[in-house]
Amino acid sequence: GGELVDFETTTIRMMGRDYFILDADNATNIKLTLLDSANTATVAEGETVTVTVGGKSFDVSLSFISTSEVVLTANGQDTNSLKEGETYKLDDGTYVGIKDILARDVAGTVSQVEFSIGSGKLELTNGQSVKLNDITINEMTARITRGSQTKENLDFIRLNWITDDREFVT
């Protein structure tokens, strides 16, 4: 159970695109949260960092931070309160994901958060419908198979697309 930390913060190539693995949960059904074209940065209290994704720049600062939640401001827009592994969709369709909250727990230290910004989000949960940019695609399911040696290995990820109509892939 728990997190598949060896997969988190890595990149996987699927369907001709690189996806950044923001979150990997090893529950009854493995769940992967992937960001397309993601870039990562760390922002500390009182500072602003600039992150570029797909040719667009985002100025990001901390609006609120606790030991378990954070609110970021990206180009003037505040996110919801987010925990590690959670995402927020900005008005322009870009996703902000929280990788690590490094809250101040010692006097004199500065709180920080590591985050990613990506142009799209793909959620794959073993045996369930795929979610693309928070929209469930009922005709497509994910199959994620664990390796035979340990639960920290994945043998493959398969996307099954079932349709009643004739469809063409280009």
Side-chain angles (χ1 to χ4, degrees):
E3 300 287 318
L4 295 168
V5 295
D6 290 343
F7 295 110
E8 293 175 350
T9 73
T10 62
T11 301
I12 186 170
R13 186 153 185 87
M14 292 189 328
M15 301 177 292
R17 292 186 147 182
D18 289 330
Y19 287 90
F20 176 80
I21 301 175
L22 175 68
D23 191 42
D25 293 324
N26 185 24
T28 304
N29 290 321
I30 295 175
K31 179 182 178 183
L32 302 175
T33 302
L34 313 170
L35 294 180
D36 183 14
S37 304
N39 284 329
T40 299
T42 300
V43 64
E45 286 181 294
E47 74 174 16
T48 300
V49 297
T50 302
V51 178
T52 302
V53 175
K56 183 172 182 180
S57 294
F58 295 88
D59 294 326
V60 181
S61 61
L62 270 170
S63 179
F64 167 81
I65 189 167
S66 72
T67 56
S68 61
E69 295 181 320
V70 65
V71 175
L72 295 177
T73 302
N75 288 352
Q77 181 181 352
D78 288 340
T79 67
N80 290 340
S81 184
L82 300 171
K83 296 177 182 176
E84 289 180 5
E86 292 184 333
T87 60
Y88 181 83
K89 185 177 182 180
L90 298 173
D91 289 341
D92 69 351
T94 305
Y95 287 86
V96 177
I98 305 302
K99 291 174 61 177
D100 196 9
I101 298 173
L102 308 160
R104 175 182 53 209
D105 51 6
V106 177
T109 61
V110 176
S111 296
Q112 301 177 64
V113 64
E114 186 178 10
F115 66 95
S116 292
I117 296 182
S119 59
K121 181 172 87 170
L122 182 64
E123 289 181 49
L124 306 175
T125 304
N126 185 46
Q128 295 184 15
S129 294
V130 170
K131 283 188 176 182
L132 178 62
N133 297 331
D134 295 325
I135 298 171
T136 301
I137 304 171
N138 291 318
E139 298 82 15
M140 187 175 287
T141 57
R143 297 283 179 226
I144 304 171
T145 302
R146 289 185 174 106
S148 58
Q149 298 173 7
T150 68
K151 288 187 177 182
E152 295 279 336
N153 275 343
L154 294 180
D155 277 346
F156 63 86
I157 298 171
R158 177 180 294 151
L159 300 178
N160 297 320
W161 181 25
I162 300 171
T163 179
D164 293 333
D165 299 323
R166 284 187 171 197
E167 301 289 344
F168 297 91
V169 177
T170 59

